[in-house]
Amino acid sequence: MIHVKWDREILHFPVPPPETKLGKLRTDLADYTHLPLGSFKLIHAGAVMKDDSAPLTAYKIRENSTIALIGGHSLPSAPTTAPPARPQPKVKEPPTEQSTITAIRSELDRVRTTLVPDVDALVDALTPPAATTASSPTSAPTPTSGSTPTQSFSSTAQAPHLPPHPTSASYTSKPTSSDHTRLSELLLQSLLRLDAMHLAGSDWPEARAERKAAVREVQGVLDRLDGAWSAR
């Protein structure tokens, strides 16, 4: 006898003649188990028996050999009710000029709200405060009769130093190269996204003008960042 291990069962069959083809054994097992012919694999001594035209002697099948039948579950019966229809994937509509303009403005707004404040803070931290020197009150000219008193400033006086925009970055010490690199890379990524936006040739003049203005503004922020870093 040879033994066929199928799930939790062990089936026993007479040893086939040596010249029996593997395909004949596979067909006999399918008939016996009522399994679809192509629904299972036969394994002997750790090797999958694939060549149905080969004789069983090629796989060294002999008395007391054990063959494993893997898979071989009966095909499920047809459901009585139709399964729910799977939702069809949503077809992505091609961009229009207006949708492209919206995407450009959205990218520019993201730069203005998330990157520009951080750039302002970094530039401010790298720029020494401007000195403001007011003239001494005793040196101010005495107003003449009928004239309006004026306040005099030295020729080196400058506008008061403005505080940075509110930002998530807080520089209690000098910014580091990693701060500069992070902001530079984020601004470059924004420029790449703007450049990758699809424009339908000369048919979209408004979108082209919007992107050109957005690129100019983002590039200006990047130039200001790099200039302040170079001059530190």
Side-chain angles (χ1 to χ4, degrees):
M1 303 291 287
I2 62 171
H3 315 289
V4 178
K5 186 175 181 181
W6 174 39
D7 199 12
R8 297 181 180 180
E9 298 184 49
I10 297 181
L11 311 177
H12 306 281
F13 296 92
V15 179
E19 67 277 6
T20 303
K21 305 293 186 185
L22 175 61
K24 176 64 168 62
L25 175 62
R26 191 187 304 275
T27 301
D28 291 344
L29 290 173
D31 292 340
Y32 184 88
T33 58
H34 304 288
L35 297 173
L37 188 60
S39 68
F40 58 87
K41 296 180 180 180
L42 300 177
I43 299 176
H44 178 253
V48 179
M49 304 163 69
K50 297 179 180 179
D51 187 0
D52 284 348
S53 63
L56 293 180
T57 52
Y59 295 102
K60 300 180 181 179
I61 302 298
R62 57 177 67 90
E63 180 76 20
N64 289 323
S65 292
T66 299
I67 301 171
L69 189 155
I70 305 298
H73 298 290
S74 299
L75 294 177
S77 57
T80 55
T81 58
R86 297 180 61 182
Q88 295 296 323
K90 191 174 182 180
V91 179
K92 187 176 181 180
E93 296 182 359
T96 63
E97 182 176 20
Q98 190 55 50
S99 67
T100 302
I101 290 173
T102 300
I104 293 171
R105 291 175 178 174
S106 176
E107 178 65 28
L108 187 57
D109 286 343
R110 189 190 67 81
V111 171
R112 288 170 175 170
T113 57
T114 65
L115 296 181
V116 170
D118 283 358
V119 171
D120 288 343
L122 186 144
V123 170
D124 185 77
L126 292 174
T127 306
T132 302
T133 308
S135 299
S136 171
T138 58
S139 63
T142 304
T144 59
S145 177
S147 64
T148 304
T150 59
Q151 187 175 8
S152 174
F153 292 93
S154 68
S155 59
T156 58
Q158 300 181 16
H161 188 61
L162 298 177
H165 291 276
T167 175
S168 58
S170 177
Y171 295 105
T172 56
S173 59
K174 286 291 184 182
T176 64
S177 60
S178 61
D179 297 323
H180 169 254
T181 300
R182 179 183 68 87
L183 291 173
S184 294
E185 289 179 352
L186 291 174
L187 288 167
L188 286 171
Q189 290 172 13
S190 178
L191 288 172
L192 291 174
R193 283 191 292 270
L194 288 169
D195 183 69
M197 290 183 183
H198 173 76
L199 298 180
S202 59
D203 296 335
W204 293 357
E206 186 179 352
R208 189 170 296 278
E210 286 273 351
R211 185 175 72 172
K212 184 177 181 180
V215 167
R216 187 186 302 115
E217 181 173 335
V218 176
Q219 183 65 54
V221 177
L222 180 58
D223 290 344
R224 186 160 58 90
L225 171 67
D226 290 341
W229 184 256
S230 299
R232 71 190 188 281

